[in-house]
Amino acid sequence: MRYSINSIPIRTENVISRQIDDEAVLVSPEKGEVKVINQTGALIWENCDGHTTVGQLVDLVCREYQVSREAAEADVVEFLEALAERGLVSVIVES
């Protein structure tokens, strides 16, 4: 799946997450998988709330980490696609 700037990602319901220091641990009980994500990934994960667009996530990453919009967009989309491949997020709206 290719996320667009207008996509609205949402965390999958059955995924359990815990913030530990600057990282987050995601557990998918159905698949028996555990994924540890870094501080940037945790920021994105926490904001995959079903209301925030990919564009807004990019803006958030730009503000928080002072990176270019182009770099942030590439990283956010790549991260979301990796989570989607593992069934951890999905798109609820494509504008």
Side-chain angles (χ1 to χ4, degrees):
M1 150 167 289
R2 181 81 182 148
Y3 282 82
S4 77
I5 206 76
N6 296 315
S7 300
I8 300 176
I10 187 166
R11 296 181 298 267
T12 303
E13 261 184 46
N14 62 339
V15 176
I16 300 164
S17 64
R18 295 286 180 264
Q19 190 83 19
I20 301 173
D21 297 322
D22 289 338
E23 299 178 327
V25 177
L26 313 180
V27 179
S28 177
E30 285 181 5
K31 294 185 177 187
E33 291 183 353
V34 175
K35 178 156 180 67
V36 178
I37 54 177
N38 66 17
Q39 183 178 10
T40 306
L43 176 68
I44 296 167
W45 171 259
E46 287 303 315
N47 286 281
C48 288
D49 55 11
H51 302 288
T52 306
T53 66
V54 170
Q56 291 168 319
L57 291 172
V58 170
D59 291 340
L60 184 61
V61 169
C62 286
R63 280 192 309 272
E64 188 71 26
Y65 299 103
Q66 300 174 354
V67 296
S68 73
R69 181 159 182 83
E70 183 178 282
E73 185 174 335
D75 290 346
V76 167
V77 168
E78 181 181 339
F79 178 72
L80 290 172
E81 289 176 349
L83 292 181
E85 285 176 14
R86 293 177 179 245
L88 301 172
V89 296
S90 61
V91 174
I92 60 165
V93 175
E94 185 73 43
S95 300

